[in-house]
Amino acid sequence: MANHKSALKRIRSNSVKQLRNKYQHKTTRNAVRDLRATTEKKEAEELFPKVVAMLDKLAKRNIIHKNKAGNLKSKLAKQVASL
């Protein structure tokens, strides 16, 4: 158990941040999944910049590693180009 007032506050703020990070990460994973599932090139080209922006935000906030974001963007760009 926490011994200091600041430790109790840290526990509260960490749980709030964890929920926010989890929500953003899950939302981005769903967007990546939806982009991979699309078969129309037009729709994929419209969705791609939004997904890239989401991945960049996650990497900027250290929710995912910047190299993971880069790898995902590269694979998605390849897939959209091949449609």
Side-chain angles (χ1 to χ4, degrees):
M1 189 62 203
N3 293 323
H4 297 283
K5 216 176 202 180
S6 61
L8 291 170
K9 182 178 178 181
R10 177 59 61 196
I11 290 168
R12 287 196 309 271
S13 65
N14 282 346
S15 65
V16 169
K17 288 176 187 176
Q18 180 191 9
L19 285 174
R20 188 183 319 118
N21 289 343
K22 193 164 132 184
Y23 171 77
Q24 291 172 345
H25 196 188
K26 186 66 175 172
T27 305
T28 305
R29 284 200 309 257
N30 288 340
V32 168
R33 184 191 65 206
D34 293 342
L35 179 58
R36 282 191 180 132
T38 56
T39 54
E40 287 112 34
K41 188 170 180 75
K42 182 84 172 164
E43 186 181 338
E45 285 176 340
E46 290 173 8
L47 202 57
F48 181 67
K50 295 174 187 170
V51 173
V52 166
M54 292 170 89
L55 288 168
D56 286 337
K57 276 184 192 171
L58 288 183
K60 183 179 83 175
R61 295 177 181 148
N62 289 324
I63 298 172
I64 62 173
H65 197 273
K66 64 177 183 172
N67 289 350
K68 180 179 175 75
N71 288 336
L72 283 169
K73 290 190 297 185
S74 172
K75 287 176 184 174
L76 289 172
K78 240 172 154 177
Q79 197 242 338
V80 168
S82 71
L83 288 176

